[in-house]
Amino acid sequence: MSEPCTPSAATTGDRPFARSFLARSFAAHFWLWLSIGGGLFLGDVLLDSLRWSPFWPVSGWGLILGVHFLFLRAGKVDDEWVQERSDDLKLRSYDLGHIVDIEDRVRQGDHSTSPIAERTGSK
């Protein structure tokens, strides 16, 4: 029987080729978009047309580039990153004392941290 797939297993070991391809191709994708888009806008200015004709192709391609970036970043999320990020957010919180208080009450099993349905006995 196979083990259930956990989020960390899904992000760390099941598709190394796809992740490495995304990582390798992003820099090329970005520089190609920048150079072709810049060339199109520069050509538009130099030809004195100023009709903004390259705007939509460059914008659409930029949207695709943004999705490429999001897929690349999503492949780097694992349990360690999540823990570091949540610790960072907690430490930067303006109300750290409140968060620590809630954590202490959860550890002590305080009834105020349980759902209302459990506290009142209703369903």
Side-chain angles (χ1 to χ4, degrees), residues 11-33:
T11 57
T12 56
D14 62 340
R15 297 185 153 217
F17 176 76
R19 264 195 318 279
S20 66
F21 175 75
L22 282 172
R24 285 177 304 182
S25 63
F26 180 75
H29 191 181
F30 173 75
W31 288 110
L32 192 63
W33 172 78

Side-chain angles (χ1 to χ4, degrees), residues 43-117:
D44 197 36
V45 169
L46 291 177
L47 294 175
D48 223 8
S49 65
L50 296 177
R51 289 182 292 195
W52 289 86
S53 55
F55 176 77
W56 291 112
V58 172
S59 297
W61 191 0
L63 183 65
I64 293 168
L65 181 67
V67 170
H68 186 162
F69 175 76
L70 291 176
F71 272 101
L72 178 65
R73 292 294 294 182
K76 295 180 180 180
V77 173
D78 59 1
D79 291 337
E80 182 181 344
W81 180 87
V82 170
Q83 187 62 44
E84 288 174 3
R85 182 69 178 137
S86 62
D87 290 345
D88 184 47
L89 287 173
K90 186 181 356 175
L91 290 174
R92 291 174 188 251
S93 173
Y94 67 92
D95 195 9
L96 181 59
H98 180 69
I99 294 171
V100 170
D101 178 50
I102 293 172
E103 285 179 339
D104 289 342
R105 288 188 292 143
V106 167
R107 278 191 213 104
Q108 295 169 359
D110 191 313
H111 78 284
S112 66
T113 60
S114 61
I116 269 196

Side-chain angles (χ1 to χ4, degrees), residues 35-46:
S35 60
I36 291 176
L40 286 172
F41 279 114
L42 184 62
D44 197 36
V45 169
L46 291 177

